[in-house]
Amino acid sequence: PPSSSPSSPLWALPEELLLLICSYLDAQALGRLGQVCRRLRFLSSRDLLWRRIARGCLNSGFTQLGTDLAAGIPVKERVKVSQNWRHGRCRRETVLKWKCKQVAPFSSTLLMPWMELDGEYLYLSQAENIQAYRLCPDGTGLQRHPQAIFSGHQEDVCRFVLVNSHIVSGGGDGNIVLHKIRGSYSIKFSAHEQEVNCVDFQGGLIVSGSRDRTAKVWSLSVGRVGQCLHTVQTEDRVWSIAISPLL
């Protein structure tokens, strides 16, 4: 049988033909091919091969028209995460544990802590703070003590979002707080009459939704920081809000 060494006739083929051959493989076959040798692992990890598979996966970062909304993240990794979500594959272990209970203002409803993973840090809301925990180098969990703590709310953090090295959070006190992750820069302003259930941030704009039945758009441009640009009155509290990634 032909070997996978550089002297094999397989490697005499142009890369375009090798990619064409690999394009007939499904996700499982591509994954197995990548375990043969380093050169095949590099070839089988090309975004070009995984793009077709990714478009048929749940939440892999592609629109129905094929627009890539998550450029910069390897497509193979997106397919892997999508498949893990779809089939419920996970590793169950306790990485953090604390006794503090978060209770929504004016009710007995318990708030779920919000979390986001960014590179080697996990950002987690705990009461009125957001704490950044570093992942252990060996991948066994999180370091016990937070590397950074972001404060500013008088009541529990309801939701936060990480965008472009900034954290934008909405709290039970009706305020919105903007932190620069690496630095002491922060902005705080009163946004809603009741708790801010959801926030999003992009392109110098913040959008927020609240229990007070309004959704609002806020400016972050120089001289207009914290100024409300638009208010949408709704018939019920706003639980989720987002700025279109296509602007």
Side-chain angles (χ1 to χ4, degrees):
S3 67
S4 59
S5 64
S7 60
S8 170
L10 177 65
W11 299 119
L13 295 175
E15 184 175 298
E16 292 79 4
L17 286 181
L18 291 174
L19 291 173
L20 178 62
I21 294 171
C22 292
S23 68
Y24 289 95
L25 303 179
D26 59 15
Q28 186 179 41
L30 277 174
R32 290 175 175 174
L33 183 66
Q35 296 176 345
V36 174
C37 65
R38 292 182 180 179
R39 188 167 182 180
L40 283 177
R41 182 176 64 183
F42 174 76
L43 181 72
S44 63
S45 299
R46 297 282 292 273
D47 285 355
L48 180 65
L49 297 175
W50 289 92
R51 189 179 299 270
R52 171 183 55 84
I53 301 173
R55 292 186 61 177
C57 295
L58 176 67
N59 197 26
S60 60
F62 290 93
T63 66
Q64 292 182 346
L65 299 178
T67 304
D68 190 351
L69 305 179
I73 302 177
V75 181
K76 178 182 177 181
E77 293 302 314
R78 290 186 250 166
V79 172
K80 183 171 66 175
V81 172
S82 175
Q83 293 297 316
N84 288 341
W85 274 102
R86 182 179 179 182
H87 298 290
R89 291 192 289 258
C90 64
R91 184 175 62 190
R92 298 178 180 272
E93 61 179 281
T94 302
V95 293
L96 284 175
K97 188 175 182 180
W98 67 96
K99 298 181 179 180
C100 176
K101 290 185 178 181
Q102 295 179 263
V103 182
F106 314 111
S107 73
S108 59
T109 304
L110 292 178
L111 291 176
M112 292 292 291
W114 192 253
M115 62 181 69
E116 285 200 29
L117 182 64
D118 182 37
E120 58 185 6
Y121 288 93
L122 177 70
Y123 294 82
L124 175 70
S125 65
Q126 294 179 269
E128 67 274 8
N129 298 322
I130 300 170
Q131 302 185 11
Y133 292 88
R134 191 186 184 102
L135 276 65
C136 295
D138 56 3
T140 57
L142 303 173
Q143 294 184 355
R144 186 175 183 86
H145 300 288
Q147 295 287 309
I149 299 177
F150 303 92
S151 306
H153 292 283
Q154 274 69 52
E155 295 186 24
D156 291 346
V157 174
C158 299
R159 190 68 60 88
F160 69 87
V161 62
L162 274 70
V163 180
N164 297 332
S165 300
H166 290 80
I167 300 178
V168 178
S169 60
D173 52 7
N175 293 329
I176 291 177
V177 179
L178 169 69
H179 293 284
K180 190 173 180 61
I181 294 178
R182 293 172 179 81
S184 58
Y185 175 78
S186 65
I187 297 174
K188 175 181 176 180
F189 57 89
S190 178
H192 292 271
E193 296 178 0
Q194 293 178 289
E195 67 262 30
V196 182
N197 293 323
C198 49
V199 291
D200 197 9
F201 168 51
Q202 188 172 327
L205 291 176
I206 294 177
V207 292
S208 61
S210 171
R211 181 187 177 95
D212 65 8
R213 302 184 179 186
T214 63
K216 296 184 178 182
V217 181
W218 305 91
S219 172
L220 287 179
S221 59
V222 179
R224 305 179 67 184
V225 176
Q227 178 180 345
C228 183
L229 302 178
H230 191 62
T231 300
V232 179
Q233 194 71 41
T234 64
E235 296 181 359
D236 201 351
R237 68 183 68 182
V238 183
W239 286 109
S240 180
I241 199 166
I243 298 175
S244 168
L246 300 179
L247 292 179

